[in-house]
Amino acid sequence: MSERFVVIPVGRLEEANNRVTTDTVPGGRWAGNGNDNIVAQETAAAAAVHILEYSREPNKYGDGNPQESSPFINSSDLDRGNLYDGKNMALFEEEMDSNPMVSSLLNKLANYTNLTQGVVEHEEAENNEGARKKEIKSPRMGTFIGVYLPCLQNILGVILFLRFTWIVGTAGILESFAIVFMCCSCTMLTAISMSAIATNGVVPAGGSYYMISRSLGPEFGGAVGLCFYLGTTFAGSMYILGTIEILLTYIVPNAAIFKGENGGESEAMLNNMRVYGTCCIILMALVVYVGVKYVNKLALVFLACVMLSIFAIYAGVIKSAFDPPDFPVCLLGNRILLSRNYDVCAKVVIEANETVTTKLWSLFCDSPSLNASCNEYFKMNNVTEIKGIPGLASGVITDNLWRDYGPQGMLVEKKGQPSISAPDSEFTSPYVSNDIATFFTLLVGIYFPSVTGIMAGSNRSGDLKDAQKSIPVGTIMAIATTSFIYMSCVILFGACIEGVVLRDKFGEAVSGNLVIGILSWPSPWVIVIGSFFSTCGAGLQSLTGAPRLLQAIARDGIVPFLQVFGHGKANGEPTWALLLTAGICEIGILIASLDLVAPILSMFFLMCYMFVNLACAVQTLLCTPNWRPRFKFYHWTLSFLGMSLCLALMFICSWYYALIAMLIAGCIYKYIEYRGAEKEWGDGIRGLSLNAARYALIRLEEAPPHTKNWRPQLMVLLNLDSEQNVKHARLLSFTTQLKAGKGLTIVGSVIEGTYMVKRPEAKQSEQNVKSAMAAEKTKGFCHVVVSSNLRDGFSHLIQSAGLGGMKHNTVLMAWPNLWKQQEDPISWRNFIETVRETTAAHQALLVAKNIDSFPSNQERFSNGTIDVWWIVHDGGLLMLLPFLLQQHKVWRKCKMRIFTVAQMVDNSIQMKKDLQMFLYHLRLNAEVEVVEMHESDISAFTYEKTLVMEQRSQMLKQMQLSRNEREREIQSITDGSRSSIRRKNHSNQSDGQDEIVIQLADKEEEAQLIHDRNTASHAAISKKVDAVPDRVHMTWTKEKFTAERNRNREPAGIGVRDLFNMKPEWESLNQSNMIQYKQVPAKSACLFY
């Protein structure tokens, strides 16, 4: 039974009556009209039995996980009762009720969590009390607590605290503003597209993976979902590296294990990051494994750290306008000096009326004496002390407008400061310098992770009261808020902080303090401690969310080798996925550089956002009936713009990282397409394919195909046995070898009976035919029809198969076996009628005799020949068939031989040369043989029709008639020649014991069967062979013919190799009033055309 129907035991009749009477008014009357009473009584009667209730819950996705089908708004009575409970912290005034705002705020903050949906439920499932709480718990989160704050916490992170001031100082205010604007525009456009998808029905927990997979299909969903998983995992690495950098650089610098000397500080720092980062990730993984409830309890602490840090920054900016903090920096000339190398910013000081050199003097001179040999630049330039934070009203903003990029090792210099150039000596340079080469694209890649995290609200849609309203509003407001913070910080940092201090990445010129910390108020430690706990919490959340995303992908079953990661502990915790996540995260830790890890995760997040925009654009353009988002402020142009911006940012950040990310996603896509489980999620790519197919079919029908594009489009007619299995599977093998997956192939069959009775058999037959097609690697379509008789069924297939311009032009069928031994003539009559139907439809006909002896797709011919006996008036199809077969690996090493027939009086040598030249112009490689025969051995019909047709075609061409007029003229000549042949050969009889003769029912059927009415092909061929003589009848000598016939009488195994050996018995060739086939050895195979 469908999942939409549920059998509900209601109870006894008395209980139902009581339930009905509770709906009456106190006066005893029904609240409704008189009909309501009747309906209520019927309801009460129905309540006494099991009621088949229809559920309007949408179909489940994936593997049937209940989380996937849970709606946004729970429709249970209990949830309705709690619908308006404590809504006073929402962002809308009409949601306020009588509860005190402060108490509601404290209650919501006490239950605040930034974890994805389902994490807490896994923990609660470990005990019965938690299970009971889960049953009675209803979603209580509104827009502010459920979406806005989690998005805010995820967006504001490590890059803001550790790299943003350096980005502003290096790129300048203008280019930094451009970087922030591009990245924030990208996320805003993505949020608009995400809001449209999230409000289009039920979107379960899982964020972008579920959005993309259910919108673009399992291939795109799996590829982008795994990329999003890798991005989330590397984000954990970035947060852990940020945590260790804050710890070792700003909190406890003495905790470093490796000490760098003589310029090796950077390498020592990387090693310290690797050691401490590995320890940190092991500790965090253990915390997540033991229980995420501890992470959940710290969520409010992490949120408070972020918010307090932001407030401290703005407070410091305001305070700097009238009371700038005292953080001086020392300049030598225009170069900024490391603060750890001096105690006083001066060359000499006066102590006890004596001039004494300082520690700074010792750095540049070989001795502390005043007459020591010093560095030239040190002697020629003065030492200056300036304020590191001049303040908001200082006017330093004009100096920080422009960029200051440079290579690795370039000294940080103050613009506009007087300086005298001088060659530096061999003394160690005590200046602040660039640790990496800086340029615009690098800064874009480093900055972009600071705007990610916009999926935090959509990941927890099941925990929201009204997700279809909360997700768009909360996400867009969070992005607007963070965009304002970033853009304002660009201007405020440039207006308050000296440029050389901004470009000091690690605060080496300000006594090792965090640059953004010295601006904050009341103390730099507010930012240092806040950023430390914030980055630590973000790392824990990444290690919590990434394994669950991998578990969701594994449980969907679209990537077979990931199914092991769908298992975990008894409560559903993804243990194996956590182990893999920690291993991948360790790769980022071993890179050890925040500046190198950030562009990697930027690629994966940008690819994810790009496909979110693509999903929205595709669904909007397709205008599918199911696309009805509640969020109305979207448009396909915005989605397309967001997709283009994401793609551009990928290549701006790093073109080789972008190519690697696309290669990874492409490999995953092809793997899922090749090996993944089939999922039908109603995705937009399938709808897009249908629209593209419809458009292409309409275009194909506008004009007939050109001769250059012509190829056999096959209709394969199959016979089925009593068990509805395919009789001749080798016919499908031959189709595969002839088509090689190109063009149209329709495999049809007919079942006798009526459709109402035979429908199950037709479905089973269709499945059997599809299985046979898959086994023989035949790419095409299957069509099984039910008809009252086989003749009408095959006629219907020939007439109606195909769609628009995609219709067959060639019919392939097998020769009827044992037709002579059957008393019932219906079998061979059906065959004859099928031939006539094909001829009437102006289609080519291929008949394969002894089809079971044809080679399979696994066989390989190392040598052999494909012999073609070419009749001139048939067109060029018989020469095209062996060429197509040679394209397949079964026939690739076989040679083609063309035999043609002419009279004894013809010039055979000249005809052979003409035919060779004709084949040369057709670009076909084949041996040409001419068979000379007496006039009495050549079919009068063949000779006369060929002669008259060619002469008439040449004349019509010279007359320059239209195509329709030419076909009418050719048809009249054909009808005349048929009547003449019937009069000449009316009394002829055939002799011979080895002949199989099919006598037609009447004269009209005989002439109709022999005649090939494919006049369109004849006209086309006559137009193409202008260089060929008017009469191309080519023959052998009788001696050569006898030798060739004797050579072909070899063992049956060799006869299989000469597959198209179609030489007829010339003694009976003049029997023009009947079809004749010479009996061939049992294992030989022939194809008649």
Side-chain angles (χ1 to χ4, degrees):
M1 184 179 293
S2 174
E3 293 179 357
R4 289 179 180 266
F5 294 90
V6 184
V7 177
I8 303 176
V10 178
R12 297 180 179 180
L13 181 61
E14 293 80 9
E15 296 174 353
N17 290 330
N18 293 334
R19 182 166 57 254
V20 173
T21 57
T22 57
D23 294 331
T24 60
V25 296
R29 296 184 179 182
W30 290 94
N33 53 23
N35 294 331
D36 293 336
N37 192 5
I38 299 175
V39 174
Q41 292 176 359
E42 292 177 355
T43 305
V49 296
H50 290 74
I51 296 178
L52 186 66
E53 179 181 273
Y54 179 76
S55 173
R56 295 184 179 272
E57 181 181 359
N59 291 329
K60 294 183 178 180
Y61 296 119
D63 59 350
N65 190 349
Q67 282 189 343
E68 294 186 9
S69 60
S70 60
F72 285 119
I73 304 177
N74 198 327
S75 60
S76 64
D77 294 338
L78 180 60
D79 295 338
R80 293 193 188 99
N82 297 328
L83 183 61
Y84 298 102
D85 183 20
K87 261 194 171 181
N88 50 6
M89 279 309 299
L91 298 181
F92 300 99
E93 185 178 357
E94 60 266 25
E95 295 178 355
M96 308 280 284
D97 56 16
S98 59
N99 292 338
M101 181 180 295
V102 177
S103 62
S104 178
L105 172 62
L106 295 178
N107 183 29
K108 290 178 180 295
L109 290 179
N111 296 323
Y112 173 77
T113 175
N114 195 30
L115 301 179
T116 58
Q117 177 186 350
V119 175
V120 181
E121 286 81 349
H122 286 161
E123 293 292 333
E124 293 176 348
E126 293 183 348
N127 53 71
N128 295 331
E129 182 181 358
R132 287 194 299 270
K133 289 181 180 179
K134 179 183 177 183
E135 291 176 0
I136 64 175
K137 180 181 178 181
S138 62
R140 293 178 177 272
M141 293 187 181
T143 303
F144 186 77
I145 299 295
V147 180
Y148 180 77
L149 289 181
C151 288
L152 206 67
Q153 180 181 352
N154 280 268
I155 294 174
L156 300 173
V158 61
I159 300 297
L160 172 64
F161 301 124
L162 296 182
R163 294 291 183 270
F164 198 58
T165 55
W166 174 71
I167 292 174
V168 173
T170 304
I173 294 176
L174 297 180
E175 291 191 15
S176 298
F177 196 86
I179 293 174
V180 173
F181 180 78
M182 282 194 305
C183 296
C184 293
S185 299
C186 177
T187 55
M188 180 61 76
L189 293 173
T190 304
I192 293 174
S193 300
M194 182 194 70
S195 300
I197 299 174
T199 58
N200 185 51
V202 176
V203 176
S208 61
Y209 163 66
Y210 281 95
M211 291 182 185
I212 297 172
S213 61
R214 271 58 176 180
S215 299
L216 295 181
E219 293 86 2
F220 278 107
V224 181
L226 285 177
C227 288
F228 187 56
Y229 162 74
L230 292 175
T232 307
T233 305
F234 277 102
S237 301
M238 183 187 70
Y239 292 134
I240 293 173
L241 290 175
T243 302
I244 303 304
E245 181 177 321
I246 295 172
L247 178 68
L248 296 180
T249 305
Y250 306 110
I251 299 179
V252 281
N254 296 328
I257 299 175
F258 301 95
K259 305 292 184 179
E261 296 180 358
N262 299 326
E265 292 85 358
S266 60
E267 290 296 328
M269 184 61 181
L270 294 179
N271 292 329
N272 288 321
M273 300 278 282
R274 294 184 179 101
V275 174
Y276 279 94
T278 303
C279 297
C280 185
I281 194 175
I282 293 174
L283 180 62
M284 288 183 176
L286 288 176
V287 171
V288 174
Y289 176 77
V290 170
V292 295
K293 56 185 177 182
Y294 303 109
V295 182
N296 186 37
K297 291 179 180 179
L298 293 174
L300 186 59
V301 176
F302 301 146
L303 175 64
C305 292
V306 173
M307 302 308 296
L308 288 177
S309 299
I310 299 299
F311 290 143
I313 292 173
Y314 280 101
V317 169
I318 296 173
K319 180 177 177 297
S320 69
F322 54 87
D323 185 15
D326 185 18
F327 280 96
V329 294
C330 190
L331 298 178
L332 176 62
N334 62 353
R335 301 175 183 178
I336 188 171
L337 296 172
L338 299 174
S339 61
R340 67 174 181 268
N341 293 327
Y342 63 91
D343 51 357
V344 179
C345 184
K347 294 182 179 180
V348 294
V349 293
I350 299 177
E351 294 181 358
N353 295 327
E354 292 184 4
T355 302
V356 181
T357 59
T358 62
K359 184 179 178 181
L360 185 61
W361 180 280
S362 302
L363 292 176
F364 294 93
C365 301
D366 55 0
S367 68
S369 62
L370 295 176
N371 57 357
S373 177
C374 298
N375 180 271
E376 290 296 326
Y377 187 84
F378 180 74
K379 292 191 298 183
M380 299 174 63
N381 291 274
N382 296 324
V383 176
T384 308
E385 187 176 67
I386 62 174
K387 285 187 175 182
I389 310 292
L392 191 62
S394 62
V396 73
I397 188 173
T398 57
D399 298 331
N400 296 329
L401 286 175
W402 312 108
R403 62 186 181 183
D404 190 9
Y405 301 130
Q408 182 178 0
M410 187 189 77
L411 301 180
V412 177
E413 299 177 346
K414 177 176 172 55
K415 301 175 183 178
Q417 183 75 12
S419 174
I420 301 175
S421 301
D424 290 328
S425 65
E426 66 275 4
F427 293 110
T428 303
S429 177
Y431 306 113
V432 178
S433 60
N434 291 343
D435 62 328
I436 58 173
T438 55
F439 42 89
F440 179 79
T441 57
L442 173 71
L443 300 185
V444 174
I446 293 176
Y447 171 75
F448 187 81
S450 65
V451 297
T452 59
I454 63 175
M455 299 291 181
S458 62
N459 287 344
R460 312 167 64 232
S461 57
D463 295 333
L464 303 173
K465 281 184 180 180
D466 189 357
Q468 298 194 13
K469 182 174 64 176
S470 297
I471 289 178
V473 174
T475 304
I476 292 176
M477 289 193 65
I479 294 176
T481 303
T482 54
S483 299
F484 171 77
I485 292 174
Y486 283 126
M487 292 181 182
S488 62
C489 285
V490 169
I491 299 174
L492 295 177
F493 290 167
C496 295
I497 306 175
E498 186 64 49
V500 289
V501 178
L502 287 174
R503 295 193 293 276
D504 184 8
K505 182 187 293 187
F506 302 107
E508 296 173 308
V510 286
S511 303
N513 289 298
L514 187 62
V515 174
I516 196 174
I518 63 177
L519 176 64
S520 63
W521 181 86
S523 170
W525 287 101
V526 175
I527 298 293
V528 173
I529 300 301
S531 61
F532 176 79
F533 284 106
S534 173
T535 53
C536 183
L540 280 172
Q541 291 160 9
S542 297
L543 288 180
T544 304
R548 282 158 181 79
L549 177 60
L550 181 63
Q551 186 184 44
I553 299 174
R555 286 184 173 179
D556 267 346
I558 60 176
V559 184
F561 70 86
L562 291 180
Q563 291 183 359
V564 65
F565 298 106
H567 307 290
K569 294 193 295 186
N571 61 350
E573 284 295 313
T575 305
W576 293 106
L578 176 61
L579 186 62
L580 178 64
T581 302
I584 298 176
C585 195
E586 178 63 20
I587 297 176
I589 297 297
L590 294 178
I591 296 176
S593 175
L594 184 67
D595 301 325
L596 297 179
V597 174
I600 296 176
L601 65 99
S602 295
M603 293 299 110
F604 294 121
F605 278 117
L606 280 168
M607 181 173 293
C608 174
Y609 296 163
M610 179 179 69
F611 280 97
V612 169
N613 286 287
L614 176 62
C616 181
V618 168
Q619 296 282 12
T620 306
L621 290 175
L622 289 178
C623 297
T624 54
N626 189 46
W627 179 248
R628 301 185 302 274
R630 291 187 180 274
F631 181 77
K632 302 299 182 182
F633 303 99
Y634 71 95
H635 196 267
W636 69 267
T637 54
L638 296 178
S639 300
F640 185 79
L641 179 61
M643 182 185 66
S644 303
L645 188 56
C646 289
L647 184 62
L649 285 175
M650 287 179 65
F651 284 92
I652 288 175
C653 294
S654 176
W655 64 269
Y656 48 89
Y657 277 170
L659 293 179
I660 293 174
M662 289 182 175
L663 180 63
I664 293 174
C667 292
I668 298 173
Y669 178 93
K670 297 305 293 184
Y671 177 81
I672 296 174
E673 185 181 47
Y674 179 68
R675 291 291 304 276
E678 294 184 0
K679 295 288 182 181
E680 181 53 54
W681 289 329
D683 54 88
I685 292 298
R686 186 173 181 83
L688 189 64
S689 301
L690 290 174
N691 273 6
R694 179 189 62 84
Y695 176 77
L697 288 173
I698 293 175
R699 291 292 303 272
L700 282 175
E701 204 171 15
E702 292 178 356
H706 194 271
T707 307
K708 293 180 180 179
N709 300 326
W710 192 93
R711 65 166 57 243
Q713 313 290 0
L714 290 182
M715 158 63 76
V716 184
L717 301 180
L718 290 179
N719 291 325
L720 305 177
D721 56 18
S722 59
E723 298 180 355
Q724 309 303 330
N725 293 322
V726 178
K727 280 187 178 181
H728 306 292
R730 290 295 175 87
L731 199 61
L732 296 176
S733 302
F734 176 71
T735 303
T736 302
Q737 298 161 18
L738 186 64
K739 299 291 292 182
K742 305 297 190 300
L744 175 67
T745 300
I746 303 175
V747 180
S749 186
V750 178
I751 298 178
E752 289 188 277
T754 58
Y755 182 73
M756 298 296 295
V757 178
K758 296 290 185 178
R759 181 180 178 274
E761 295 184 18
K763 294 295 182 181
Q764 182 62 38
S765 302
E766 188 171 349
Q767 293 298 326
N768 294 341
V769 173
K770 288 182 178 180
S771 300
M773 293 173 63
E776 299 296 337
K777 299 181 180 180
T778 303
K779 298 179 180 179
F781 307 98
C782 176
H783 194 188
V784 178
V785 299
V786 180
S787 179
S788 57
N789 56 74
L790 293 178
R791 173 184 174 182
D792 292 343
F794 284 123
S795 176
H796 295 160
L797 283 175
I798 293 173
Q799 294 177 57
S800 61
L803 180 64
M806 290 292 290
K807 295 183 69 69
H808 62 281
N809 54 27
T810 305
V811 176
L812 173 62
M813 58 189 303
W815 178 263
N817 293 330
L818 304 177
W819 63 272
K820 189 175 182 181
Q821 284 75 17
Q822 297 179 0
E823 298 179 358
D824 187 7
I826 294 180
S827 61
W828 59 265
R829 284 186 179 274
N830 288 336
F831 173 76
I832 292 174
E833 292 300 330
T834 304
V835 174
R836 297 183 64 184
E837 295 282 355
T838 305
T839 306
H842 292 274
Q843 296 175 1
L845 176 64
L846 303 179
V847 182
K849 191 172 184 181
N850 292 332
I851 185 61
D852 295 328
S853 300
F854 276 54
S856 65
N857 293 329
Q858 287 72 33
E859 297 185 40
R860 302 290 183 271
F861 291 155
S862 59
N863 52 33
T865 59
I866 302 176
D867 294 341
V868 178
W869 288 82
W870 183 40
I871 304 173
V872 178
H873 72 262
D874 77 328
L877 182 57
L878 273 182
M879 288 194 296
L880 182 62
L881 291 178
F883 169 76
L884 296 176
L885 286 175
Q886 284 178 325
Q887 309 307 309
H888 197 270
K889 50 190 174 184
V890 175
W891 306 91
R892 190 163 295 161
K893 296 183 180 180
C894 295
K895 298 181 180 179
M896 182 172 62
R897 295 191 303 180
I898 295 181
F899 296 87
T900 188
V901 180
Q903 300 183 61
M904 299 295 294
V905 297
D906 292 330
N907 187 350
S908 302
I909 298 177
Q910 184 61 36
M911 289 181 178
K912 182 175 182 178
K913 292 181 179 179
D914 294 339
L915 184 55
Q916 289 176 339
M917 182 59 65
F918 179 58
L919 294 177
Y920 175 78
H921 289 302
L922 291 180
R923 302 171 302 283
L924 295 175
N925 297 323
E927 298 179 7
V928 178
E929 300 292 350
V930 181
V931 179
E932 293 182 352
M933 301 185 64
H934 294 284
E935 184 178 355
S936 59
D937 294 334
I938 301 178
S939 169
F941 173 78
T942 299
Y943 177 78
E944 181 176 349
K945 181 177 178 181
T946 300
L947 177 62
V948 175
M949 289 284 292
E950 290 183 352
Q951 291 178 351
R952 189 62 176 169
S953 297
Q954 293 292 335
M955 182 180 66
L956 293 177
K957 185 177 180 180
Q958 294 175 2
M959 294 172 61
Q960 299 181 351
L961 296 178
S962 65
R963 180 177 178 180
N964 294 334
E965 294 173 344
R966 191 181 307 169
E967 290 184 358
R968 287 197 297 269
E969 291 291 336
I970 292 175
Q971 184 63 36
S972 64
I973 295 299
T974 302
D975 295 339
S977 65
R978 184 192 309 151
S979 301
S980 174
I981 293 166
R982 188 182 296 115
R983 289 194 301 270
K984 288 182 181 180
N985 302 286
H986 180 69
S987 61
N988 292 348
Q989 301 294 332
S990 61
D991 298 328
Q993 297 178 352
D994 295 336
E995 294 180 357
I996 301 174
V997 181
I998 304 174
Q999 184 66 43
L1000 300 182
D1002 51 34
K1003 296 181 180 180
E1004 182 61 26
E1005 291 180 346
E1006 297 167 2
Q1008 181 70 22
L1009 177 62
I1010 297 171
H1011 174 50
D1012 182 359
R1013 294 182 61 188
N1014 196 354
T1015 56
S1017 298
H1018 302 157
I1021 293 297
S1022 64
K1023 291 169 62 178
K1024 293 294 181 182
V1025 294
D1026 295 341
V1028 183
D1030 291 340
R1031 296 178 60 187
V1032 187
H1033 298 280
M1034 307 174 188
T1035 61
W1036 258 357
T1037 61
K1038 190 171 184 178
E1039 293 77 8
K1040 293 179 65 178
F1041 164 69
T1042 304
E1044 180 67 16
R1045 183 173 60 182
N1046 294 334
R1047 185 181 70 82
N1048 285 329
R1049 292 178 179 175
E1050 294 180 353
I1054 301 177
V1056 177
R1057 299 298 186 265
D1058 295 331
L1059 184 62
F1060 291 96
N1061 191 0
M1062 297 167 51
K1063 299 181 286 297
E1065 290 293 325
W1066 306 112
E1067 293 80 6
S1068 59
L1069 192 62
N1070 57 356
Q1071 306 295 331
S1072 60
N1073 61 340
M1074 54 189 68
I1075 296 181
Q1076 307 154 3
Y1077 293 96
K1078 178 64 181 174
Q1079 287 182 346
V1080 296
K1083 292 186 179 180
S1084 63
C1086 301
L1087 177 67
F1088 295 91
Y1089 166 74

